[in-house]
């Protein structure tokens, strides 16, 4: 279903069609392969080992669930590949054979910038711009093809855009992007930093080239990805993360479906439900795990308004819009199961009341759907920081590791900074304020500028941190891991490993995440344990009584993201 957002005009010239498994799928010049297929109602991309299909899940190139064969080339990610007239797209088979000699040597370049910034979202754009304006040689690398990251995702450039009518999130992102370009920041887009061996030795690759990067300072601003919560049916086509749903909407003007349910925990779900509803989509319900309307949460709302009144007003407006459009808002509840045809997609979402432990206490009913967006918060993308040996600690409230940094974002390794959500999820606005502090610290290191943090940035960081603490209180809810899973519920999406498989492996003296991985293959797929790893770690902690610690879970190692074997061999 295609929708229209204020300020973003109709599709640009270049309409045509691709062929998917023999069926015609209309495309426009603004589409990715994923957005074209979703708009046409084609929800399945790759085949799984059980005879079903998988569709768009993360929408940001992390999960690899949307892999398809395009013009004879396997393992192309539909969410990251532009759609073009005449493409031949086929379902990706569950197991593919890599032909002998398929790996081709590509040129390798060694570069030595003053500062390497990894991630072109809010934090990365701000720190890179500030440092480039100070005359430093800054290299900004992101595996996406466009600047802005997940938070400041922009409409495809082929859209006709009236900037005077765009919302504040679009326009703020456009300002940051233009500032970085004006400052002369060097960029490598569509490029993955896949290994961090030393603070001054990183390996990166794109489809065309390879790099060894030797910076004097590195700022990791890689952002976060959404938490996976295994429930029955969560692998059905049409079930995706809230972030994926928002990418389809804000970047491509496509709704995840005609009848969409948004569920999980956190303000992003409220925003997406409101934006979809505003675009004419039938949002059948917003299901929130927290009891956000409880009078006991009123003090948190007051603290939010005191810290950042503008963002608080945005949230109130979203809820008011949903109420005005009579979208049911169900709190203290969760999607406890999804039903549908494994080859075709989701058709029903079952809702249940949950208790303080995250377990269902009673059924609340169900909704007919053709798309479900699930968002249970975010986990820091800290693989590179962990690979380098930066110190981490457990964030019990989120069930995740948090990179230990000072106020400027400096880690336990002096030349390495980790800022924004990659160090600990505190929101895009905090990330931008912290980026100012990190830039000042790097300038002190490399240029000997006077010590002392920018007062305005430091005050803004404190204010944004206070706002985020209040948001966390308002949306406080049980951290869901495996509470709603059944024995046959898939936990490792890549390998098809079920909750029962994992539980059985843990009864035979297998007590470490690595051992479970070897026994069950959980975590061996292309997402590299990002979605199943936290669940497995929580299961182990519950069974052994040993609290999650810095070295619990899977150990980070190169490559931190999937790359062709040829790149690893050449590296």
């Amino acid at each position: 279903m295609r929708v229209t957002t204020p300020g973003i005009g109709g599709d640009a010239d270049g309409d045509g069609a691709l062929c998917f498994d023999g069926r015609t799928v209309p495309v426009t010049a603004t589409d990715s392969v994923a957005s074209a297929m979703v708009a046409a109602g084609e929800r399945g991309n790759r085949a799984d080992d059980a005879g079903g299909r998988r569709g768009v899940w993360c929408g940001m190139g992390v999960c690899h669930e949307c892999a398809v064969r395009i013009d004879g080339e396997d393992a192309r990610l539909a969410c990251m590949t532009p759609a073009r007239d005449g493409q031949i797209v086929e379902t990706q088979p569950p197991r593919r054979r890599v032909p002998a000699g398929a790996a081709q040597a590509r040129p390798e370049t060694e570069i030595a910038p003053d500062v390497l910034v990894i991630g072109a979202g809010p934090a990365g754009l701000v720190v890179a711009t500030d440092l480039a304006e100070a005359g430093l040689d800054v290299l900004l690398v992101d595996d996406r093809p466009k600047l802005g990251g997940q938070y400041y995702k922009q409409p495809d450039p082929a859209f006709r855009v009236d900037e005077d009518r765009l919302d504040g999130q679009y326009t703020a992102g456009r300002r940051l992007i233009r500032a970085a370009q004006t400052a002369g920041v060097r960029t490598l887009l569509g490029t993955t930093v896949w290994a961090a061996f030393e603070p001054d030795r990183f390996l990166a690759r794109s489809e065309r080239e390879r790099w060894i990067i030797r910076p004097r300072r590195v700022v990791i601003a890689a952002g976060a990805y959404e938490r996976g919560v295994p429930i029955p049916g969560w692998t059905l086509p049409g079930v995706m993360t809230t972030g994926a749903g928002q990418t389809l909407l804000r970047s491509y003007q496509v709704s995840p479906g005609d009848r969409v349910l948004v569920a999980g925990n956190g303000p992003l779900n409220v925003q997406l439900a409101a934006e979809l509803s505003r675009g004419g989509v039938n949002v059948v319900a917003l299901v929130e795990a927290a009891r956000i309307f409880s009078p006991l949460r009123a003090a948190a709302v007051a603290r939010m308004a005191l810290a950042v009144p503008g963002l608080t007003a945005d949230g109130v407006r979203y809820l008011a819009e949903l109420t005005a459009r009579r979208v049911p808002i169900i709190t203290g509840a969760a999607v406890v199961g999804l039903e549908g045809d494994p080859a075709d997609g989701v058709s029903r979402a079952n809702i249940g009341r949950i208790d303080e432990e995250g377990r269902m206490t009673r059924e609340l009913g169900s909704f007919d759907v053709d798309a479900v967006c699930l968002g249970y918060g975010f986990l820091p993308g800290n693989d590179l920081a962990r690979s380098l040996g930066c110190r981490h600690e457990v964030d019990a409230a989120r069930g995740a590791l948090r990179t230990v940094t000072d106020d400027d974002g400096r880690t336990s390794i002096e030349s390495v900074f980790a800022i924004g959500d990659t160090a600990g999820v505190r929101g895009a606005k905090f990330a931008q304020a912290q980026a100012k502090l990190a830039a000042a610290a790097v300038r002190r290191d490399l240029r000997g500028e006077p010590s002392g943090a920018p007062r305005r940035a430091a005050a803004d960081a404190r204010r944004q941190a206070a706002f985020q603490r209040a948001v966390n209180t308002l949306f406080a809810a049980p951290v869901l891991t495996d509470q709603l899973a059944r024995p046959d519920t898939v936990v490792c999406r890549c390998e098809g490993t079920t909750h029962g498989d994992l539980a059985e492996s843990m009864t035979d003296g297998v007590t470490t995440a690595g051992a479970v991985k070897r026994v069950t293959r959980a975590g061996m797929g292309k997402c590299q344990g990002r979605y199943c790893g936290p669940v497995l770690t929580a299961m182990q902690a519950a069974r052994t009584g040993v609290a999650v610690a810095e070295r619990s879970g899977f150990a980070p190692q190169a490559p931190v993201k999937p790359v062709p074997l040829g790149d690893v061999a050449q590296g």
Side-chain angles (χ1 to χ4, degrees):
M1 176 179 178
R2 297 193 184 273
V3 296
T4 300
T5 297
I8 303 176
D11 302 324
D13 294 336
D15 292 354
L18 59 79
C19 177
F20 175 62
D21 286 350
R23 299 185 293 277
T24 298
V25 173
V27 302
T28 73
T30 62
D31 271 323
S32 67
V33 171
S35 69
M37 290 177 61
V38 171
E42 296 282 0
R43 297 184 289 179
N45 297 85
R46 76 171 181 91
D48 64 22
D49 289 322
R53 289 196 181 189
R54 302 291 178 82
V56 174
W57 166 248
C58 76
M60 57 187 291
V62 173
C63 70
H64 290 250
E65 290 283 68
C66 67
V68 288
R69 177 180 291 156
I70 299 179
D71 295 334
E73 183 179 348
D74 281 343
R76 297 290 301 278
L77 298 186
C79 72
M80 303 289 279
T81 305
R84 296 289 181 263
D85 179 36
Q87 282 173 322
I88 304 299
V89 182
E90 301 169 272
T91 299
Q92 175 71 48
R95 303 287 170 180
R96 66 187 186 92
R97 182 178 64 85
V98 179
Q104 296 181 353
R106 288 175 293 111
E108 182 175 81
T109 303
E110 182 169 319
I111 47 181
D114 290 325
V115 185
L116 168 64
V117 179
I118 302 171
L125 285 171
V126 170
V127 73
T129 300
D130 278 17
L131 293 173
E133 288 176 343
L136 292 168
D137 178 19
V138 181
L139 178 66
L140 177 61
V141 181
D142 198 294
D143 50 11
R144 298 178 182 84
K146 293 184 288 188
L147 299 171
Q150 282 294 98
Y151 185 77
Y152 284 132
K153 57 178 72 79
Q154 295 293 312
D156 188 274
F159 279 112
R160 296 188 298 275
V161 173
D162 179 355
E163 296 205 16
D164 292 335
R165 299 181 60 217
L166 291 176
D167 67 27
Q169 192 166 331
Y170 279 127
T171 55
R174 293 170 91 80
R175 283 195 298 270
L176 289 182
I177 291 168
R178 286 171 182 157
Q181 293 168 337
T182 301
V185 175
R186 282 199 289 166
T187 59
L188 289 177
L189 300 179
T191 300
T192 300
V193 177
W194 62 269
F197 293 118
E198 299 290 343
D200 62 350
R201 184 167 180 258
F202 294 79
L203 300 186
R205 55 92 56 191
S206 72
E207 291 298 323
R208 297 172 300 280
E209 196 170 354
R210 302 164 60 245
W211 291 271
I212 299 173
I213 308 173
R214 295 187 175 278
R216 298 167 65 193
R217 292 292 183 274
V218 60
V219 181
I220 304 173
Y225 56 93
E226 285 174 271
R227 176 189 299 279
V229 176
I231 60 174
W234 74 310
T235 59
L236 288 168
V239 182
M240 64 187 71
T241 67
T242 299
Q246 192 183 55
T247 296
L248 287 170
L249 177 66
R250 294 184 69 86
S251 293
Y252 303 106
Q253 302 292 281
V254 167
S255 169
D258 296 327
R259 294 178 55 83
V260 183
L261 184 138
V262 182
N265 176 225
L268 181 60
N269 297 320
V270 179
Q271 179 182 353
L272 178 62
E275 290 178 340
L276 288 172
S277 180
R278 188 187 303 159
V281 178
N282 181 5
V283 179
V284 299
L286 169 65
V287 182
E288 168 57 52
R291 300 178 183 273
I292 58 175
F293 297 133
S294 168
L296 299 177
R297 308 282 172 108
V301 178
R303 291 196 299 274
M304 289 167 55
L306 182 63
V308 186
L311 290 178
T312 306
D314 287 344
V316 172
R317 186 177 69 253
Y318 292 142
L319 289 170
E321 288 182 20
L322 292 171
T323 301
R325 295 188 180 98
R326 299 186 178 181
V327 175
I329 303 175
I330 306 169
T331 63
V335 176
V336 297
L338 297 161
E339 302 173 21
D341 185 328
D344 183 47
V346 66
S347 59
R348 183 178 294 273
N350 301 317
I351 313 302
R353 183 74 64 202
I354 58 173
D355 62 17
E356 293 182 354
E357 301 299 321
R359 304 191 182 281
M360 186 179 75
T361 58
R362 62 186 176 92
E363 296 179 356
L364 294 178
S366 61
F367 292 91
D368 292 332
V369 297
D370 59 8
V372 175
C373 296
L374 298 175
Y376 284 98
F378 299 88
L379 297 175
N382 53 28
D383 311 83
L384 292 171
R386 293 180 66 205
S387 295
L388 290 170
C390 300
R391 191 163 71 86
H392 287 74
E393 62 186 13
V394 176
D395 181 353
R398 293 186 179 273
L401 286 180
R402 175 173 53 211
T403 309
V404 177
T405 71
D406 64 14
D407 291 342
D408 298 337
R410 196 189 300 269
T411 70
S412 56
I413 299 175
E414 184 179 7
S415 62
V416 179
F417 292 74
I419 61 174
D421 287 352
T422 195
V425 179
R426 286 168 286 187
K429 300 299 183 180
F430 173 85
Q432 290 173 231
Q434 189 184 39
K436 292 280 188 182
L437 302 178
V442 172
R443 292 198 305 269
R444 291 195 298 273
D445 288 356
L446 301 184
R447 286 293 178 84
E449 294 186 4
S451 60
R455 292 182 179 179
R456 180 178 297 180
D460 194 28
R462 289 192 295 270
R463 186 167 57 89
Q464 295 294 341
F467 173 79
Q468 194 61 48
R469 288 192 295 271
V471 169
N472 293 343
T473 300
L474 176 62
F475 285 92
V479 176
L480 293 184
T481 53
D482 69 325
Q483 296 97 317
L484 302 176
R486 297 195 299 243
D488 62 349
T489 300
V490 169
V491 174
C492 177
R493 298 178 64 98
C494 301
E495 296 295 323
T497 310
T498 66
H499 189 270
D501 295 333
L502 294 174
E504 182 179 359
S505 74
M506 294 178 189
T507 62
D508 297 327
V510 177
T511 58
T512 67
V516 173
K517 183 177 184 178
R518 289 188 290 273
V519 170
T520 66
R521 293 189 59 83
M524 289 189 179
K526 285 194 171 182
C527 92
Q528 298 179 281
R530 285 175 172 82
Y531 296 105
C532 67
V535 178
L536 186 155
T537 301
M539 290 176 65
Q540 281 190 308
R543 282 163 171 73
T544 63
V546 178
V548 176
E550 180 179 2
R551 298 189 180 278
S552 300
F554 301 136
Q557 55 189 351
V560 298
K561 290 187 178 180
V563 297
L565 284 174
D567 285 342
V568 178
Q570 285 182 266

